[in-house]
Amino acid sequence: MKKALTTTALLAALPLAMGSTLAQANECGKVTIADMNWSSASLIANVDRFILEHGFGCDASLVPGDTMPTGTSMIEKAEPDIAPEMWSNSLKEALDKGVEEGRLRYAGKSLSDGGEEGFWVPSYMVEKDPSLATIEGIKQNAKLFEHPEDPDMSAFYSCPAGWNCQISAGNLFRAMKLDEAGFDIIDPGSGAGLSGAIAKAYERKEPWFGYYWAPTSVLGKYDMVKVDFGSGVDKDAYVNCVTNADCTDPVVTMYPPSLVQTVTTEGFAQRAPEAYDYLTKRAFTNNQMNGLLAWMEDNQADGEYAMEHFLLEYEDIWTAWVSEDVVNKVKDAL
């Protein structure tokens, strides 16, 4: 009789428990997250999916994404609900209009210090000669940077041909008169060629000078120093001339940080305010992401595998983004 009563009690309690769970899921509802086709964005998308599903009770799923089509679809069709890593400068006018019209929200920065570009040298060179952390020191020691084909020239490794950064790197090369210091622009041919040139120099502890960006696995693996141009950032000059192929008189400016944001639909933000609040707090520094990208490359890990690694090994980071209750739910799911 005791067993029968226990079974009856359990059956009676079951709808209440299920109702509580369903209520939580219904509050958040179905959530679609753009899984962009590069490693850092895929990692963040998978982290968001796991935390929203297990921590907030969302019915979360990933959908393929890329900057332009995802941004356009969110503005016009209100889907997907979340773009975790949107390099918003490339679509800023349209995104701003979407926010003004009440279609979208900027939840926060995916990369707290923004995407980073610059001219770099290996740290072991700067340790020997601190002046090499400045463009004047680079120019005065141009002979260190041996050209692979011309012994009378010095090598500056630029952005690959056809990439937008080739324009800015070329204009800054002209603005700083690096040719007068003996430098010649080396086209690495591809992103792999550029990263390979850094890896080869670093493993041999040889001089290297050129353009690169973050977050990337390369800057996670190799300790590089961004060269100070001594100019500060002139954003107007950068936007209106340095990034323009028709710029005839470029001025020297450091690269301004690229704004990298999490964008959501207004519908999601209103439907699930607690889940939205998580997205306003979830952010990575470039150093954190560089290290995670290096781990992904070394382990041939996709976004889902890297998400598990991150949640298990970097509790000090992600637990600061959510409440203790959500932390416990995510840990239980892991």
Side-chain angles (χ1 to χ4, degrees), residues 215-295:
T216 51
S217 60
V218 167
L219 294 186
K221 286 183 177 182
Y222 306 111
D223 189 11
M224 304 287 285
V225 174
K226 185 162 68 172
V227 176
D228 186 352
F229 298 162
S231 62
V233 175
D234 185 338
K235 191 170 183 180
D236 286 340
Y238 179 80
V239 171
N240 296 317
C241 189
V242 171
T243 55
N244 190 331
D246 299 324
C247 178
T248 57
D249 191 22
V251 300
V252 181
T253 172
M254 296 292 285
Y255 286 88
S258 297
L259 196 58
V260 187
Q261 296 171 289
T262 297
V263 181
T264 77
T265 60
E266 181 64 24
F268 166 78
Q270 291 191 16
R271 183 175 75 245
E274 291 183 359
Y276 175 81
D277 185 61
Y278 149 71
L279 294 174
T280 68
K281 297 172 182 174
R282 189 265 295 119
F284 296 80
T285 67
N286 269 312
N287 282 340
Q288 290 167 350
M289 186 56 73
N290 286 338
L292 287 164
L293 292 175
W295 183 90

Side-chain angles (χ1 to χ4, degrees), residues 111-132:
L111 299 174
S112 58
D113 41 5
E116 188 175 16
E117 298 176 271
F119 293 178
W120 307 76
V121 292
S123 61
Y124 51 78
M125 296 189 71
V126 176
E127 288 168 6
K128 289 184 178 179
D129 182 354
S131 76
L132 294 174

Side-chain angles (χ1 to χ4, degrees), residues 16-37:
L16 294 174
M18 290 180 65
S20 175
T21 302
L22 288 171
Q24 187 182 20
N26 288 336
E27 181 184 352
C28 185
K30 290 187 177 181
V31 179
T32 48
I33 304 168
D35 186 1
M36 307 291 204
N37 57 0

Side-chain angles (χ1 to χ4, degrees), residues 70-114:
T70 295
T72 302
S73 180
M74 291 178 74
I75 294 167
E76 296 179 356
K77 302 177 182 178
E79 56 186 39
D81 295 292
I82 303 168
E85 187 186 312
M86 179 70 76
W87 290 66
S88 49
N89 282 350
S90 59
L91 200 59
K92 191 173 189 311
E93 187 175 340
L95 292 173
D96 285 348
K97 186 177 180 182
V99 171
E100 289 171 10
E101 294 176 351
R103 299 167 185 253
L104 303 178
R105 279 200 203 181
Y106 292 122
K109 294 181 179 180
S110 323
L111 299 174
S112 58
D113 41 5

